[in-house]
């Protein structure tokens, strides 16, 4: 009876919003007794032998028309269960789902996030839950994942079947089960009230899709649909501020006190992470009690949220780390100011700065928010100031920027070709300019451009001199020319010159050289720029990026853009046609290639990058010489797939094979969420970041969880999976 009363007292949220009548409650009690009996019979039979299993219980049941019933999804003999993704189907014309019970599930008392949905039109129940990274061990044993309560609508039978079922452990590995698929499903048979009655359903059904949170702390909590992720930085009317409060704090030696890390002006805030530095010789961090040395603030009070960092790793040496995030069904935005409260005791006389070394603020799409920060100061003194000389309440500090993992990049000094791609007919001549951008105090240049002389020829700009020369630009004054010659046989342009000693260096952007190309033969050639130098007024080399181009003769050129969601650099995306690599994007997301198909044909393009769903596009090749493929943004979060087996080197200790998460499978689901959460905090250089060179640990690849490429697995990666949860590829282009 305790089981039945527990289910009635906790976690029941009505899907339809109707109150439960008294007869329905008594029917639930009777049904509970039936379930208890089944637990000792068919239920035990399914778990016999100690094999792992998940299944619908009871497997078969009879319910009268108009009466209520329920069934459970249970796991048996499961080890290290960290996440589940289930999808059940039923006939909505036979039964109507009225309530869901999730509070008394296998993860009760553990920190995690998830949701449950019911689609009454298609007859689909979806349930997703995963533990977060603070849970070092998953669920072991047997128990209920979900209970579904329903009302019988009309005479007939409906199967309760698993359309999808994924169980994963903490490492993101799919958990194998021993029971066959036929033993996992169930059925409900609805009987007439009396043999002579005619079964009709008078209930009018309005198709809806209802969402019920998996395990809310607040019964009034209701989720919102996961928003569609959109690329680009968030637009804020105010700049979020992260600051230490109070900014200056006096404390007597041997006395305890506290400071807070606060956040304000952050209406789009979804997750936050801070790293602080202090002087342990001056102050000593105190234990704030369970769950660790830091006290949770009121930033997300009243909402469903959890902390990222396990208690035992929050304070190490002279650094403090703390992070918190809303569950991905919550509405972004803070309800308080304090992210975390830090308790300390004055250890010895002196001053300890509270320095904010790292801040990451992100919105629900996993894009970092621009922000400012203000450090604090703790003075440990022997005598407190008198009231006359008391330190006044500090004015609102002038914020100073703090770099984050994804800062706005400084302008990169460039040496490049304009246009990057040229399309010519046979015999046609086009001009290409060599340009610089974002330069400071430029005094001289050197570059070399390789090309295929069978495809194009370089037109001589100075017929009065021997050989072939190219032209100069107007950005610099070429006084001392070391090289200006074209090797028409080897296919190389050589250019090197400086200004005169009295000529002022130039800053900004402009043209430093130009040349003309003539189409000589059908095909395409790269204009590969190499061995480049930019010199300042002291003839020191300047850091820069050099970007070449290409020219196509009597061919079609295809160009476009592909972006990586949540990143500011978009290089490395492969554009393919089947197994053929056509192009790779540059950092600005641009790509260009020669069409491999004739006019009137269609080419199937795919954009791929590790950790992201791929995008497809069918492009009709028109008669235009320059064809646009448009732009696409790849959605992040596809980092792992179902369990696979990898070979261990023969000379290594242990089994010759090892289980590991499989390669990305084109779906962002519970496996991806568990994979990233299980590697939260991993960074480049860690032992498990890459497979070991000796072949003993081929399963070490935490780098796959670093979706945004900042070389650390943090909240930006976890939020990216959460924001795109449930999506699959290919996405539209």
């Amino acid at each position: 009876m305790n089981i039945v009363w527990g289910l009635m007292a906790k976690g029941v949220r009505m899907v339809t919003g109707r109150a439960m009548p008294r007869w329905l409650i008594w029917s639930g009690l009777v049904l509970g007794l039936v379930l208890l009996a089944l637990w000792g019979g068919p239920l035990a039979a399914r778990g016999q032998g100690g094999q792992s299993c998940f299944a619908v219980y009871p497997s078969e049941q009879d319910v009268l028309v108009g009466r209520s019933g329920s069934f459970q999804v249970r796991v048996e003999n499961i080890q290290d269960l960290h996440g589940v993704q289930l999808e059940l189907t039923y006939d909505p014309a036979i039964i109507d789902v009225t309530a869901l019970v999730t509070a008394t599930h296998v993860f009760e008392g553990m920190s995690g996030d998830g949701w449950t949905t019911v689609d009454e039109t298609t007859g689909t129940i979806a349930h997703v839950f995963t533990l977060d990274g603070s849970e070092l061990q998953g669920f072991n044993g047997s128990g209920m994942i979900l209970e579904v309560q329903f009302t019988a609508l009309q005479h007939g039978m409906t199967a309760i079947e698993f359309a999808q079922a994924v169980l994963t452990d903490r490492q993101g590995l799919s958990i194998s089960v021993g029971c066959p698929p036929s033993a996992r499903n169930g059925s409900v048979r609805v009987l007439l009230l009396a043999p002579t009655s005619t079964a009709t359903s008078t209930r009018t059904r309005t198709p809806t899709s209802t969402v019920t949170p998996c395990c809310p702390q607040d019964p009034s909590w209701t989720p919102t649909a996961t928003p569609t992720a959109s690329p680009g930085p968030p637009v804020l009317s105010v700049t979020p501020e992260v600051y230490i409060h109070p900014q200056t704090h006096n404390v007597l030696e041997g006395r305890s006190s506290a400071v807070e890390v606060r956040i304000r002006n952050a209406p789009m805030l979804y997750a936050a992470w801070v790293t602080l530095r202090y002087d342990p010789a001056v102050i000593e961090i105190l234990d704030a009690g369970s769950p660790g040395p830091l006290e949770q603030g009121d930033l997300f009070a009243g909402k469903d949220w959890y902390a990222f960092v396990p208690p035992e790793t929050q304070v190490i040496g002279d650094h403090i780390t703390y992070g918190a995030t809303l569950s991905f069904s919550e509405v972004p935005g803070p309800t308080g100011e304090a992210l975390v409260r830090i308790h300390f005791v004055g250890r010895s006389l002196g001053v300890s700065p509270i320095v904010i070394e790292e801040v990451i603020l992100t919105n629900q799409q996993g894009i970092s928010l621009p922000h400012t920060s203000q450090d604090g100061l703790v003075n440990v003194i022997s005598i407190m100031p008198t009231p006359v000389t008391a330190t006044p309440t500090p004015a609102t500090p002038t914020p100073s920027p703090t770099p984050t993992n994804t800062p706005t990049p400084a302008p990169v000094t460039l040496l490049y070709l304009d246009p990057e791609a040229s399309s010519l007919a046979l015999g046609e001549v086009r001009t290409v300019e060599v340009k610089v951008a974002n330069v400071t105090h430029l005094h001289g240049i050197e570059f070399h451009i390789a090309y295929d002389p069978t495809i194009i020829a370089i037109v001589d700009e100075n017929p009065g001199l021997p050989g072939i020369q190219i032209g100069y630009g107007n950005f610099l004054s070429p006084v001392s020319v070391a090289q200006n010659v074209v090797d028409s046989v080897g296919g190389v342009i050589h250019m090197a010159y400086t200004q005169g000693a009295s000529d002022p260096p130039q800053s900004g952007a402009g043209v430093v050289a130009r040349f003309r190309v003539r189409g000589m033969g059908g095909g395409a050639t790269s204009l590969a720029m190499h061995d480049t130098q930019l010199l300042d007024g002291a003839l020191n080399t300047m850091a820069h990026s050099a970007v070449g181009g290409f020219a196509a003769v009597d061919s079609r050129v295809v160009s476009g853009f592909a972006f990586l969601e949540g990143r500011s650099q978009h290089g490395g995306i492969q554009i393919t046609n089947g197994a053929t690599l056509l192009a790779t994007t540059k950092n600005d997301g641009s790509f260009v290639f020669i069409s491999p198909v004739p006019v009137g044909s269609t080419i199937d393009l795919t954009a791929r990058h590790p950790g992201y769903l791929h995008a497809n596009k069918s492009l009709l090749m028109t008669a235009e010489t320059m064809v646009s493929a448009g732009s696409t943004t790849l959605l992040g979060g596809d980092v792992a797939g179902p369990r696979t087996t990898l070979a261990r080197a023969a000379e290594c200790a242990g089994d010759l094979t090892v289980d590991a998460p499989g390669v990305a499978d084109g779906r962002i689901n519970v496996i991806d969420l568990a994979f990233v959460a299980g590697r939260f905090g991993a960074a480049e250089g860690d032992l498990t970041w890459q497979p070991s060179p000796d072949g003993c640990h081929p399963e070490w690849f935490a780098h796959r969880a670093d979706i945004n490429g900042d070389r650390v697995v943090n909240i930006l990666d976890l939020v990216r999976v959460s924001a795109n949860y449930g999506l699959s590829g290919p996405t539209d282009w």
Side-chain angles (χ1 to χ4, degrees):
M1 292 298 292
N2 290 335
I3 295 177
V4 178
W5 282 113
L7 294 178
M8 293 179 61
K10 297 177 63 178
V12 179
R13 291 178 60 87
M14 296 299 294
V15 175
T16 61
R18 300 189 296 271
M20 294 179 68
R22 185 182 302 273
W23 66 267
L24 185 57
I25 295 175
W26 282 107
S27 298
L29 289 175
V30 174
L31 180 63
L33 294 176
V34 174
L35 289 175
L36 287 175
L38 288 169
W39 176 257
L43 190 63
R46 291 205 187 186
Q48 65 184 358
Q51 68 177 0
S52 60
C53 187
F54 62 88
V56 172
Y57 296 99
S59 59
E60 299 177 356
Q61 61 176 304
D62 294 337
V63 182
L64 295 176
V65 171
R67 300 294 178 86
S68 64
S70 69
F71 58 85
Q72 295 181 359
V73 177
R74 297 188 62 88
V75 291
E76 302 294 320
N77 303 315
I78 292 294
Q79 297 299 313
D80 196 26
L81 180 62
H82 194 83
V84 298
Q85 178 176 342
L86 305 174
E87 185 175 305
L88 293 165
T89 60
Y90 66 96
D91 187 347
I94 302 298
I95 62 174
D96 173 39
V97 174
T98 57
L100 300 169
V101 178
T102 57
T104 52
H105 54 57
V106 297
F107 295 121
E108 186 173 19
M110 306 174 81
S111 178
D113 194 29
W115 66 81
T116 305
T117 64
V118 178
D119 189 331
E120 294 182 331
T121 304
T122 61
T124 304
I125 303 167
H127 176 71
V128 173
F129 187 87
T130 182
L131 297 174
D132 62 41
S134 67
E135 295 292 345
L136 302 181
Q137 183 177 355
F139 172 80
N140 295 313
S142 304
M144 183 188 84
I145 294 179
L146 175 70
E147 177 176 311
V148 179
Q149 298 180 358
F150 61 86
T151 297
L153 295 177
Q154 63 177 341
H155 173 64
M157 177 178 289
T158 176
I160 311 297
E161 297 180 325
F162 287 97
Q164 185 181 35
V166 180
L167 309 181
T168 175
D169 62 17
R170 187 176 185 274
Q171 300 304 314
L173 298 173
S174 52
I175 297 175
S176 301
V177 294
C179 56
S182 59
R184 303 170 193 168
N185 300 325
S187 64
V188 175
R189 184 173 59 174
V190 178
L191 306 177
L192 301 176
L193 285 173
T196 57
S197 62
T198 302
T200 58
S201 175
T202 59
R203 181 171 181 264
T204 301
R205 301 178 57 85
T206 301
T208 59
S209 180
T210 307
V211 180
T212 302
C214 171
C215 39
Q217 302 299 318
D218 180 0
S220 64
W221 179 85
T222 55
T224 58
T226 303
T228 301
S230 58
V235 179
L236 302 176
S237 58
V238 293
T239 300
E241 301 173 30
V242 182
Y243 61 100
I244 305 298
H245 177 80
Q247 181 186 1
T248 303
H249 192 39
N250 295 321
V251 62
L252 286 173
E253 184 180 12
R255 297 291 182 86
S256 60
S257 189
V259 295
E260 293 179 344
V261 180
R262 293 188 175 184
I263 302 175
R264 61 188 171 199
N265 300 329
M268 300 166 63
L269 184 64
Y270 181 74
W273 174 279
V274 294
T275 299
L276 311 174
R277 176 171 50 84
Y278 70 100
D279 188 346
V282 177
I283 63 175
E284 180 181 352
I285 306 301
L286 297 176
D287 191 349
S290 179
L294 305 181
E295 181 183 352
Q296 298 170 348
D298 63 353
L299 184 67
F300 295 133
K303 292 188 175 182
D304 193 27
W305 68 278
Y306 56 90
F308 279 111
V309 184
E312 62 271 18
T313 62
Q314 291 175 340
V315 180
I316 298 179
D318 60 350
H319 280 76
I320 300 171
T321 57
Y322 185 81
T325 180
L326 292 168
S327 70
F328 49 81
S329 297
E330 273 288 5
V331 178
T335 51
E337 285 191 320
L339 172 66
V340 63
R341 185 173 296 105
I342 305 167
H343 295 266
F344 62 88
V345 63
R347 186 172 182 179
S348 61
L349 300 180
V351 177
S352 173
I354 308 296
V355 180
I356 302 176
E357 289 194 341
E358 181 186 35
V359 173
I360 302 176
L361 306 181
T362 175
N363 64 6
Q364 197 168 20
Q365 285 71 50
I367 301 174
S368 57
L369 304 176
H371 61 272
T372 62
S373 67
Q374 179 63 53
D375 299 334
L377 197 69
V378 174
N379 297 315
V380 179
I381 56 180
S382 58
I383 301 176
M384 290 293 287
T386 64
V388 176
T389 60
T391 302
T393 302
T396 302
T398 301
S400 59
T402 297
T404 69
N405 281 48
T406 54
T408 301
V412 177
T413 300
L414 292 176
L415 178 65
Y416 65 102
L417 302 182
D418 183 22
E420 177 187 1
S422 300
S423 180
L424 305 84
L426 287 173
E428 186 179 2
V429 176
R430 291 287 178 90
T431 298
V432 179
E433 294 181 328
V434 183
K435 291 183 174 181
V436 292
N438 304 319
V439 296
T440 304
H441 304 306
L442 181 65
H443 185 71
I445 65 165
E446 178 181 357
F447 62 81
H448 308 267
I449 301 175
Y451 66 94
D452 186 344
T454 66
I455 303 297
I456 61 172
I458 306 300
V459 179
D460 188 8
E461 298 296 338
N462 195 342
L465 295 177
I468 301 174
Q469 292 83 35
I470 66 171
Y472 301 101
N474 55 10
F475 189 67
L476 297 178
S477 299
V479 172
S480 178
V481 179
Q483 266 190 316
N484 182 359
V485 63
V486 176
D487 179 356
S488 59
V489 177
V492 183
I493 300 171
H494 302 283
M495 170 66 83
Y497 71 84
T498 62
Q499 299 191 123
S502 60
D503 294 325
Q506 301 298 314
S507 299
V511 180
V512 295
R514 57 171 50 91
F515 58 92
R516 289 182 294 164
V517 300
R518 175 181 285 113
M520 300 297 292
T525 176
S526 63
L527 300 173
M529 195 178 296
H530 60 91
D531 295 329
T532 62
Q533 291 194 75
L534 301 182
L535 305 176
D536 62 16
L539 299 184
N540 296 316
T541 58
M542 303 166 56
H544 66 282
S545 292
V547 181
F550 75 93
V553 178
D554 201 23
S555 302
R556 267 67 189 171
V557 177
V558 180
S559 63
F561 290 86
F563 305 105
L564 297 173
E565 180 189 47
R567 294 197 187 192
S568 59
Q569 301 293 313
H570 308 282
I573 302 174
Q574 293 188 339
I575 310 300
T576 61
N577 172 221
T580 303
L581 177 64
L582 300 175
T584 302
T585 58
K586 299 177 181 178
N587 282 338
D588 64 354
S590 64
F591 65 85
V592 62
F593 61 87
I594 299 297
S595 171
V597 299
V599 174
S601 298
T602 298
I603 181 173
D604 294 323
L605 303 180
T606 300
R608 297 182 183 275
H609 193 278
Y612 290 75
L613 295 175
H614 64 284
N616 286 353
K617 182 183 184 72
S618 292
L619 181 65
L620 177 64
M621 198 54 53
T622 65
E624 301 293 328
T625 58
M626 300 291 291
V627 179
S628 174
S631 63
T632 185
T633 296
L634 304 188
L635 305 181
D638 182 22
V639 296
R643 177 191 298 262
T644 188
T645 301
L646 302 177
R648 197 196 305 270
E651 62 272 16
C652 300
D655 296 334
L656 293 179
T657 60
V658 59
D659 287 335
V663 297
D665 57 359
R667 298 182 299 172
I668 302 176
N669 57 17
V670 69
I671 293 178
D672 304 291
L673 197 60
F675 184 89
V676 175
R679 288 153 184 81
F680 191 87
E684 186 176 36
D686 289 352
L687 191 63
T688 61
W689 192 253
Q690 296 277 3
S692 58
D694 59 8
C696 292
H697 291 282
E699 79 280 11
W700 286 352
F701 34 64
H703 70 277
R704 281 165 47 183
D706 175 26
I707 299 170
N708 69 346
D710 60 1
R711 297 178 175 85
V712 62
V713 182
N714 57 20
I715 55 175
L716 299 176
D717 305 302
L718 194 60
V719 170
R720 175 61 44 225
V721 181
S722 301
N724 295 327
Y725 195 93
L727 300 181
S728 60
T731 59
D732 292 334
W733 182 334

